[in-house]
Amino acid sequence: MKATQISKENGVVKFNIEFTPEEWKEAINKAYLANRSKFSIDGFRKGKAPRKIIENFYGHDIFWDEALNNLLENGYYDAVKEMDLEVIAQPSLESPEIKNDEPVVVTGTVEVFPEVEVKDYKGLEIEKFASVVGDKEVQEELERVQKSQARMEAVEDRKSENGDTVIFDFEGRVDGETFAGGSAENFELKLGSGQFIPGFEEQLEGKEAGEETDVEVVFPGDYHAEELAGRPAVFKCKIHEIKKEVLPEIDDELASDVSDFETLEEYKADLKEKLQKAADERDISMMKDRALEALYKANEITVPAVMIKNEIDNMIYDMNQSLASQGLGLQQYMEWTGTTIDKVREDAQPEAEKRVRTRVLLKNLIRQEGLDAKAEEIEKLMAEFGEQYGMTVDQVKTMAGDETENYFKEDAQTKKAIDFLFENAVQVEKKEEETEEKTEE
């Protein structure tokens, strides 16, 4: 097989794929062997008629279509690779002229990833972010750590209060009848958490361990169980225990318990350094996003409709996967929201177009600036991916076969392109919005 690119114009490549006479004869014979059992010819048992007899009876080209399809099944993708094309749609192929003992030449056209001239990508103005971590942020982090080290302690000298955790049994009834999911034993509920329907938790405040009480509530009108929505219910409750959260002191002891430092001051200094590093990383990430947005706005380009369609397909697939993780389906979601698949696709169109245009701009920026990825950069991304999913680099490499390295190479190149935009951008201070006081005359 030999592939030849004939022309490239307006994002469409015309090409030839040439198969040798030997490849064609082998494909014809394979098609015959795969289909001979379908033919019944007088004088031969079914499936035993020679190829020439079948061709004389049904036509000399009876096996051509399948032979050609079999050749193209692998040959087309090998040809795309040989011509180094990044195709974005299915090809349009012409029927070849087939002559005895001559090569079979298939001519086709296919849309490829668009080449555009990216403009104004240096000196993009982006808002400067320079977060400074101070004592307030360090104190907030200390309080978070303090809360994570809290212990629960039984309350014996007072009644339950907002913020306490009560351990209790409950049994709910609507019109005197119990209902599914309306009862439990030794359930732990933090009062004020909003875990139960409105009005429930407040009625458990001011109670003592061992006390029994009735909680009267009305299910919200939009409650997920339609048979309960808007209906009054009575829950018989018995409180077994009341617990309160006891926070440790923020001192040297806490610091030594949660870190390798012996004193609170050392721990605070380390926290401040880590918080500042995280803030710096967030700032850079936000500025890179701004640079990408600025590039998008600076370049009005047209992208192939098929790329937008494919992106919408991907977005709907991701949406379906997300819904499935919540126990829902796309059809169920559309019924609940009163929408249609056409409306879902229409709503996804602007975002899909933005994603595709941004991808086209980045890929052409990579081409224009020659931002190739080094082997060690690709390897690093593979290692990071493997660490995330508990895989070795070798396992990552074999996960998707030959396409694995290309995937990580594109990822590395994209990161380089975004870094290039950021490094060549101009950071400007955020302009304070002027507010004018309007007075009524």
Side-chain angles (χ1 to χ4, degrees), residues 27 38 63 95 122 170 188 212 291 305 313 359 362 408:
K38 300 175 183 177
F63 299 114
S95 297
K122 290 184 178 179
F170 64 87
E188 292 193 12
E212 296 184 12
D313 290 342
R359 189 159 66 244
L362 282 175
F408 286 101

Side-chain angles (χ1 to χ4, degrees), residues 20-33:
T20 65
E22 292 73 26
E23 288 173 324
W24 176 245
K25 289 176 183 177
E26 184 181 351
I28 288 287
N29 196 50
K30 283 183 178 179
Y32 157 69
L33 294 174

Side-chain angles (χ1 to χ4, degrees), residues 392-405:
T392 65
V393 171
D394 287 339
Q395 288 173 325
V396 173
K397 287 181 178 179
T398 57
M399 178 179 62
D402 295 338
E403 294 303 313
T404 302
E405 187 169 348

Side-chain angles (χ1 to χ4, degrees), residues 373-427:
K374 298 178 181 177
E376 56 266 29
E377 293 169 334
I378 299 171
E379 190 93 355
K380 181 183 177 183
L381 288 179
M382 288 183 179
E384 290 173 354
F385 181 89
E387 185 177 350
Q388 185 178 357
Y389 293 97
M391 302 167 66
T392 65
V393 171
D394 287 339
Q395 288 173 325
V396 173
K397 287 181 178 179
T398 57
M399 178 179 62
D402 295 338
E403 294 303 313
T404 302
E405 187 169 348
N406 286 337
Y407 171 82
F408 286 101
K409 180 179 180 179
E410 287 187 9
D411 196 18
Q413 288 175 328
T414 299
K415 290 180 186 299
K416 272 194 164 186
I418 295 173
D419 288 345
F420 180 89
L421 288 175
F422 172 64
E423 290 161 5
N424 286 276
V426 177
Q427 298 179 26

